[in-house]
Amino acid sequence: MTQFDWPALMRLGLRDLRLRPDEFWALTPAELRIMLRLDEAAAPLTRDRLAELARAFPDIKGDNNG
């Protein structure tokens, strides 16, 4: 289960975004992420994610004629 830092989220929403409490609590998590621009930065590539991608898209040996 993901733990949220509610005090920090409320500070961001109420102070930084200047939302009224009813506006803050009416937001979905996705809307809040967009407003805070959290989706703009790409997540770093971890070893586990690289291994997952390597399994999903393995290198295929063979001729290079397409």
Side-chain angles (χ1 to χ4, degrees), residues 17-57:
L17 296 175
R18 299 180 187 269
L19 298 169
R20 293 188 321 264
D22 61 316
E23 293 171 324
F24 174 81
W25 292 111
L27 291 173
T28 66
E31 290 169 330
L32 186 57
R33 287 184 62 82
I34 290 168
M35 291 178 80
L36 294 171
R37 299 182 178 183
L38 296 176
D39 292 333
E40 291 180 6
L45 183 63
T46 63
R47 287 182 184 264
D48 289 340
R49 181 65 177 136
L50 179 59
E52 182 182 324
L53 289 170
R55 284 190 302 276
F57 303 100

